[in-house]
Amino acid sequence: MHFLQELSEHLGIRLLNERLQDPTMQESLESIFPKDNPKNTRFAINFFTSIGLGGITENLREYLKNMPSLIMQRQKQVAESESGSSSGSDSSDSESESESGSSSSSSSDESDREKRKRRRRS
């Protein structure tokens, strides 16, 4: 991450942060600034802060702060879509579906990343 330290010295932390937030850069930077789970997000925040680049983690900090509400919104959307598609299921089925839905979404995120990596290599 030495290159980010040099960039911050030359551009300044504010301009570097603006450039890192560029929508065209997000796919390339998702492994450096992970939003896949809170543990990885916290690790990235702590790492960049420890090397003096805490200013570029503002977006991650905001995401981490809002993560509980984002999770609740997703669960609500899943519950609404399940209730609309299957009216005859009992509550134990919907609980197991929501639990498996959270793990399948993380595995689908992983498979999406693998597909993107393969495309980049080609």
Side-chain angles (χ1 to χ4, degrees), residues 28-88:
S28 301
L29 297 172
E30 68 184 13
S31 62
I32 298 173
F33 302 105
K35 294 180 179 177
D36 56 349
N37 72 49
K39 184 178 179 182
N40 292 341
T41 305
R42 277 197 268 326
F43 179 85
I45 291 169
N46 291 337
F47 173 77
F48 285 109
T49 302
S50 72
I51 63 171
L53 294 174
I56 64 173
T57 63
E58 291 172 10
N59 204 23
L60 283 179
R61 292 172 193 271
E62 190 68 28
Y63 180 81
L64 191 60
K65 186 171 79 173
N66 295 325
M67 191 175 281
S69 63
L70 294 172
I71 291 170
M72 293 298 291
Q73 287 175 348
R74 288 182 188 154
Q75 288 176 345
K76 184 178 177 183
Q77 290 171 347
V78 168
E80 288 173 354
S81 67
E82 287 176 355
S83 66
S85 63
S86 62
S87 59

Side-chain angles (χ1 to χ4, degrees), residues 97-115:
E97 286 174 6
S98 65
E99 289 172 11
S100 66
S102 63
S103 63
S104 67
S105 68
S106 64
S107 62
S108 68
D109 290 344
E110 292 171 14
S111 64
D112 289 344
R113 276 190 224 111
E114 289 299 318
K115 288 177 186 174

Side-chain angles (χ1 to χ4, degrees), residues 1-13 16 51 53:
M1 297 300 155
H2 183 69
F3 72 96
L4 287 175
Q5 289 172 317
E6 286 191 24
L7 282 172
S8 87
E9 288 174 17
H10 293 291
L11 298 174
I13 198 79
L16 175 60
I51 63 171
L53 294 174

